[in-house]
């Protein structure tokens, strides 16, 4: 049995470490280019076996009983908690995921989209012509604000400034380059202390809210008046009455299994931590790719202005935005917010002639698969038209060749929200703004989600003239 290729000499270890220190995609590319589709890197408990390509994805993602989350996402345990989706497997995981479902499907996804679009509208309204803004940072904050409301309810959304500061402190550690982060979590350090203090501050408020709702027998947290009135969330700042309510209320509801305080806390914290970051990343990169590729922004705008439902918030309405969908799909291909998926294997297994021992940490990579020459023509080029099913020679990728939201029982719980929000928000931005890219070559950063490390700066141009906010725009004056 051949030894698993891996960096061994000090020089090889230095080169691999430096690539991961630069960014996660660079580290993974270095391993693929130097050692091939199977390699191992890291020391002690962090030593990971990297398996690249669609066959590896299929093996790992189809066999959930052998490739587990527990033991793979342990770094997230102090934050996400011991009952979180990312730290559990099997029946407990499936039961909690089912319970949270109403927040992430149909009504819940539409409610999220409405809140996020209202928040993005307010952000666009604050921009002035000539201003330079970090569009990724601004959109990420807008999404965070809407998700705080959607997951935690009005009372905690009123503490947004405080909660946002603490959430960002947690991300400060989680976004460090992988080698630094692994060390920071293992040893006492200021960064670790700050992240732990921040999570304690966030969970204190969440526990208070859970207990208050239980005490007052008011799972929805909507007080004696009952449900909040229906209406425009942008105007009233409240979720409409026809949706499932916020995530805390869904987790506390009498439908389905009863959840402990910790299970509710862990679900809400995970949704916050795993929610706004990848959606902000997906939207930020979609804006970047659209502005960086001639003609794309204009075409997005034309489609938005001609759309029968210019303020699309449902999956059906968003499906009509065909070109916008291609742009989002292509951007999630070239810049998948989740770059790599780790697992802990229970039993030994063979892959491409190598024996990987039971108990090993294993990782597959969405990023490497999406940029693979064996799967994609010109993988590094941003080509929205490759998603046009009517195009000659079009071939739909398999679920293991294109997997921005993962696969199977562990598929992203927020995928429904994200797949409506991303095209809806991109279309809204193209309809309402004229932006000129100022960051030409953004560097990769971020670990839980791929982000532009030093921001994504644009210059705001004169807004396209609209008849009135929320209506179809008239001709672009420029
Ligand atoms: C563009 C946006 C998003 C992308 C690209 C994305 C991507 C992913 C991927 C690839 C996975 C699977 C990871 C693995 O197999 O190791 C995942 C899981 C997960 N995502 Fe997302 N995600 C997005 C948005 C969201 C949102 C909005 C939420 C909010 C609540 C969320 C919460 C989660 C959770 C809790 C899991 C774990 C699911 C489980 O273990 O069953 N994600 N996501």
């Amino acid at each position: 049995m051949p030894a698993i290729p891996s960096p061994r000499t000090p020089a090889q270890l230095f080169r691999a470490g430096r690539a991961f220190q630069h960014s996660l995609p660079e580290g993974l590319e270095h391993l693929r280019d130097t050692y091939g589709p199977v390699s191992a890197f890291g020391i002690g408990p962090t030593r990971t076996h990297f398996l690249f390509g669609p066959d590896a994805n299929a093996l790992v993602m189809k066999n959930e009983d052998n490739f587990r989350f527990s033991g793979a996402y342990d770094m997230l345990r102090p934050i996400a908690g011991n009952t979180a989706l990312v730290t559990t497997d099997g029946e407990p995981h499936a039961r909690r995921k089912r319970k949270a479902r109403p927040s992430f499907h149909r009504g819940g996804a539409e409610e999220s989209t409405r809140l996020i679009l209202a928040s993005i509208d307010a952000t666009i309204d604050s921009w002035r012509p000539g201003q330079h803004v970090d569009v990724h940072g601004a959109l990420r904050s807008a999404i965070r604000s809407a998700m705080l409301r959607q997951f935690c309810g009005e009372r905690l959304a009123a503490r947004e400034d405080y909660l946002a500061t603490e959430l960002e402190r947690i991300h400060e550690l989680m976004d460090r380059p992988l080698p630094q982060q692994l060390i920071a979590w293992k040893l006492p350090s200021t960064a670790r202390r700050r992240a732990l203090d921040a999570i304690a501050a966030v969970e204190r408020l969440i526990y208070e809210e859970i207990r208050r709702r239980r005490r007052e027998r008011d799972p929805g947290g909507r007080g004696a008046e009952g449900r909040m009135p229906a209406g425009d969330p942008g105007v009233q700042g409240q979720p409409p009455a026809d949706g499932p309510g916020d995530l805390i209320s869904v987790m506390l509801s009498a439908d389905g299994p009863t959840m402990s305080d910790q299970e509710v806390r862990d679900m809400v914290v995970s949704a916050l931590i795993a929610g706004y970051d990848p959606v902000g990343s997906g939207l930020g990169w979609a804006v970047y790719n659209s502005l960086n590729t001639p003609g794309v922004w204009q075409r997005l705008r034309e489609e938005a202005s001609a759309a029968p439902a210019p303020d699309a918030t449902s999956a059906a309405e968003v499906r009509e935005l065909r070109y916008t969908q291609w742009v989002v799909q292509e951007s999630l291909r070239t810049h998948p917010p989740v770059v790599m998926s780790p697992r802990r294997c229970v039993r030994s297994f063979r892959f491409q002639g190598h024996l990987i021992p039971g108990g090993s940490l294993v990782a597959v990579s969405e990023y490497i698969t999406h940029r693979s020459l064996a799967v994609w023509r010109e993988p590094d080029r941003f080509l929205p038209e490759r998603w046009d099913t009517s195009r000659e020679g079009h071939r739909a990728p398999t679920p293991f060749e294109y997997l921005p939201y993962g696969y199977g029982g562990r598929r992203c719980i927020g995928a429904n929200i994200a797949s409506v929000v991303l095209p809806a928000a991109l279309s809204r931005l193209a309809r309402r703004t004229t932006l000129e890219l100022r960051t030409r070559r953004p560097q990769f950063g971020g670990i839980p989600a791929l982000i532009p490390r030093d921001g994504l700066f644009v210059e705001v141009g004169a807004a396209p003239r609209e008849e009135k906010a929320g209506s179809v725009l008239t001709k672009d004056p420029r």
Side-chain angles (χ1 to χ4, degrees):
M1 189 74 52
I4 295 168
S6 60
R8 288 172 203 279
T9 67
Q12 289 169 337
L13 288 164
F14 173 76
R15 275 197 291 276
R18 191 180 49 187
F20 276 101
Q21 177 75 17
H22 249 212
S23 74
L24 190 50
E26 280 171 73
L28 296 170
E29 277 172 339
H30 174 81
L31 292 182
R32 179 202 56 193
D33 296 345
T34 317
Y35 303 99
V38 182
S39 61
F41 180 54
I43 45 169
T46 67
R47 186 168 176 80
T48 306
H49 293 79
F50 294 89
L51 315 178
F52 295 136
D55 292 347
N57 302 337
L59 173 76
V60 168
M61 297 210 169
K62 274 176 155 176
N63 295 295
E64 284 170 36
D65 61 328
N66 196 35
F67 296 97
R68 320 280 284 179
F69 270 51
S70 21
Y73 281 100
D74 275 357
M75 219 163 59
L76 288 181
R77 237 168 236 281
I79 294 168
N82 288 332
T83 74
L85 294 185
V86 288
T87 55
T88 54
D89 293 282
E91 193 280 325
H93 163 268
R95 179 165 44 83
R96 293 169 189 140
K97 200 167 185 175
R98 266 198 313 276
K99 178 84 178 186
R101 244 176 107 86
S103 277
F104 300 99
H105 284 249
R106 293 195 189 91
E110 279 185 34
E111 206 165 290
S112 287
T113 307
R114 277 196 291 270
L115 286 169
I116 292 173
L117 289 184
S119 190
I120 288 177
D121 268 339
T123 300
I124 296 173
D125 290 341
S126 73
W127 291 343
R128 296 287 165 261
Q131 192 182 342
H132 286 219
V133 293
D134 168 12
V135 69
H136 165 258
L139 294 171
R140 184 175 184 275
S141 302
I143 294 161
R144 184 184 60 216
S145 166
M147 285 193 176
L148 263 171
R149 176 162 285 127
Q150 171 72 2
F151 297 150
C152 303
E154 290 304 312
R155 204 167 5 234
L156 292 194
R159 310 282 309 268
E160 181 186 339
D161 287 350
Y162 175 76
L163 281 166
T165 307
E166 300 302 334
L167 287 168
E168 291 311 319
R169 284 210 175 110
I170 301 169
H171 273 290
E172 267 169 35
L173 177 53
M174 287 168 60
D175 278 336
R176 287 191 175 196
L178 210 46
Q180 266 186 36
Q181 204 183 139
L182 290 168
I183 295 169
W185 276 119
K186 292 274 167 220
L187 303 173
S189 65
T190 316
R192 181 169 174 268
R193 185 72 271 143
R194 275 167 67 89
L196 292 177
D197 286 349
I199 191 63
V202 171
E203 79 174 11
R204 186 176 55 77
L205 289 191
I206 292 176
Y207 273 135
E208 271 173 26
E209 182 68 15
I210 295 169
R211 288 174 189 144
R212 183 201 303 254
R213 292 195 200 184
R214 283 205 202 275
R215 214 173 38 242
E216 295 172 1
R217 296 182 190 283
D218 179 24
R222 290 170 176 195
E225 317 283 286
R227 294 177 74 80
M228 286 172 179
D232 177 358
V235 177
Q236 301 188 1
Q238 295 168 338
D242 52 359
D246 61 52
L247 181 57
I248 297 182
S249 69
V250 167
M251 294 302 285
L252 289 178
S253 81
D255 302 337
T258 307
M259 295 283 130
S260 68
D261 285 6
Q262 188 186 346
E263 284 175 300
V264 181
R265 173 262 182 230
D266 291 356
M267 183 64 78
V268 173
V269 169
S270 310
L272 286 173
I273 293 289
Y276 70 83
D277 203 24
V279 179
S281 152
L283 188 54
W285 289 115
V287 169
Y288 167 75
N289 283 318
S290 305
L291 294 173
N292 196 40
T293 314
V296 174
W297 199 255
Q298 184 57 30
R299 224 178 133 181
L300 288 171
R301 178 179 293 170
E302 283 163 9
E303 184 172 80
S305 59
D311 294 318
T313 52
S314 72
E317 287 166 342
V318 158
R319 259 196 300 278
E320 300 296 316
L321 302 169
R322 252 179 94 232
Y323 182 73
T324 313
Q325 295 274 11
W326 299 345
V327 170
V328 169
Q329 279 167 291
E330 179 67 346
S331 193
L332 290 175
R333 183 188 69 77
T334 55
H335 295 79
V338 174
V339 166
M340 173 181 105
S341 287
R343 300 286 189 271
R344 176 79 62 182
C345 74
V346 181
R347 297 176 298 279
S348 306
F349 69 99
R350 279 172 208 282
F351 184 71
Q352 299 201 351
H354 297 284
L355 179 70
I356 318 282
S360 299
L361 256 184
V362 170
V364 294
S365 169
E366 290 81 354
Y367 179 87
I368 294 292
T369 309
H370 290 185
R371 300 275 189 135
S372 161
L373 253 175
V375 179
W376 307 94
R377 188 174 49 85
E378 299 186 87
D380 293 333
R381 274 191 72 195
F382 182 76
L383 292 170
E385 287 75 13
R386 73 167 89 231
W387 296 94
D388 179 356
T389 49
S390 65
R391 214 159 146 257
E392 210 185 305
H394 170 85
R395 182 184 74 86
T398 71
F400 303 108
E401 291 172 340
Y402 180 69
L403 61 170
Y405 298 110
Y407 175 82
R410 306 309 300 235
R411 188 173 140 82
C412 174
I413 195 172
N416 276 0
I417 294 181
S419 54
V420 177
V421 161
L422 293 180
L426 184 64
S427 182
R428 180 71 62 102
L429 281 156
R431 181 160 66 89
R432 291 203 54 204
T433 67
T434 302
L435 305 174
E436 188 134 345
L437 201 54
R438 289 286 174 240
T439 302
R440 280 287 153 201
R441 292 177 62 83
Q443 302 294 306
F444 287 150
I447 296 290
L450 186 68
I451 56 171
R453 189 166 59 207
D454 304 310
L456 195 62
F457 284 87
V458 296
E459 183 174 339
V460 178
R465 197 154 47 83
E466 287 184 304
E467 287 173 59
K468 62 180 167 65
S471 74
V472 178
L473 75 153
T474 54
K475 256 195 144 14
D476 181 355
R478 286 176 14 132

